[in-house]
Amino acid sequence: MAAPQERLDRLFSRLGYGSRSELREWLRAGRVSVGSRPVGSPSLRVDPKLVQIDGQPLDHPEGLYLLYHKPRGKVCAHGEPRSVYGDFPAAWSVRRPAINTVGRLDADTSGVLLVTDDGGWLHRWTHPRRAVPRTYRVGLAEPITDGALAQLRSGKLLLAGETSPCLPADVEVLAPRHLRLTLREGRYHEVRRMLAALGNRVDTLHREAFGPFRVDDLPSGSWRLLDPHEASLP
């Protein structure tokens, strides 16, 4: 099967390299090639994997699939001073589409985040029917009670303003004020709201795992590219 091809000017625009006029300047200067052959036409259809600029391949034309260890204090929004996107190359935020996190963690939550520019891949991970497990290490203001544990595990806990109860949570008590909590849905601020509904308060929150992904060996604020097998999930 032939490799999928794309117009050169659209490819450069999609990957955030610049405008069509800038591309024409690069073409006139002989900076763009396919294989070892210089390219002269911006409308040429090419295999993105074969295109080079100054002898170097394009920056992940097949898409970006990243594992990121979000630190506390960063927000999952573009254009904010404390944005998580500041930890990635600036060019990735001007790709079309730009990179986005797979779901969000609030500013006071650290841990596992996936990041991609592939909207279909993002949707597959976040669709409710997949029930992707999300595991959190939770620090509480008050010791957890047996009644609260039963409620978390029951599948009957109803959050304020909602009409359907939370799915049953898997709960491991690590210490009186520390839990490991696994959820299979991604409601807004769900962990914090669940504990608040039970009369407690979350003081610290770290997402240890999202599906098969963990950041145990990844320093806070750093990221790595997923390998082809990981990027083929789910």
Side-chain angles (χ1 to χ4, degrees):
M1 181 182 296
Q5 296 194 333
E6 187 174 353
R7 275 182 58 129
L8 188 62
D9 50 4
R10 292 176 182 169
L11 173 64
F12 269 58
S13 177
R14 176 173 67 81
L15 297 182
Y17 278 96
S19 66
R20 295 186 180 187
S21 61
E22 289 172 320
L23 171 59
R24 285 193 290 270
E25 292 178 6
W26 290 13
L27 294 175
R28 284 194 292 268
R31 297 178 60 190
V32 183
S33 61
V34 176
S36 59
R37 295 185 177 183
V39 178
S41 171
S43 62
L44 181 69
R45 298 189 68 84
V46 296
D47 177 352
K49 294 180 180 178
L50 299 181
V51 178
Q52 296 185 337
I53 302 174
D54 298 331
Q56 299 299 315
L58 297 181
D59 185 10
H60 299 93
E62 73 286 354
L64 290 163
Y65 306 90
L66 313 167
L67 176 64
Y68 172 61
H69 187 165
K70 179 192 174 295
R72 291 185 66 186
K74 293 289 185 80
V75 296
C76 298
H78 288 278
E80 295 290 334
R82 297 177 296 130
S83 172
V84 297
Y85 300 106
D87 288 339
F88 302 97
W92 291 357
S93 289
V94 295
R95 290 167 73 107
R96 295 191 297 177
I99 56 171
N100 281 288
T101 59
V102 177
R104 294 188 173 197
L105 296 177
D106 65 48
D108 292 325
T109 302
S110 60
V112 178
L113 266 179
L114 298 179
V115 179
T116 187
D117 62 350
D118 183 338
W121 193 76
L122 186 156
H123 179 72
R124 289 197 298 276
W125 278 111
T126 55
H127 197 286
R129 66 180 170 81
R130 291 195 177 271
V132 175
R134 301 144 164 89
T135 299
Y136 299 86
R137 189 169 66 247
V138 187
L140 299 173
E142 303 294 337
I144 193 72
T145 66
D146 290 341
L149 289 172
Q151 282 281 83
L152 291 170
R153 293 165 173 153
S154 69
K156 298 178 181 179
L157 180 61
L158 190 64
L159 302 180
E162 300 201 4
T163 57
S164 59
C166 298
L167 295 177
D170 295 335
V171 189
E172 178 186 357
V173 179
L174 305 175
R177 289 184 173 85
H178 291 87
L179 308 177
R180 179 169 286 117
L181 186 70
T182 299
L183 307 179
R184 288 174 175 79
E185 57 185 349
R187 303 189 194 195
Y188 178 73
H189 289 179
E190 186 169 12
V191 175
R192 297 182 188 278
R193 293 169 66 207
M194 291 173 80
L195 273 301
L198 297 171
N200 212 320
R201 185 184 75 244
V202 172
D203 282 346
T204 61
L205 188 59
H206 175 80
R207 185 154 73 182
E208 294 184 329
F210 181 84
F213 298 104
R214 302 181 64 90
V215 290
D216 300 336
D217 299 324
L218 200 60
S220 179
S222 63
W223 54 269
R224 68 168 177 84
L225 292 166
L226 299 183
D227 65 37
H229 170 69
E230 292 172 323
S232 71
L233 302 172

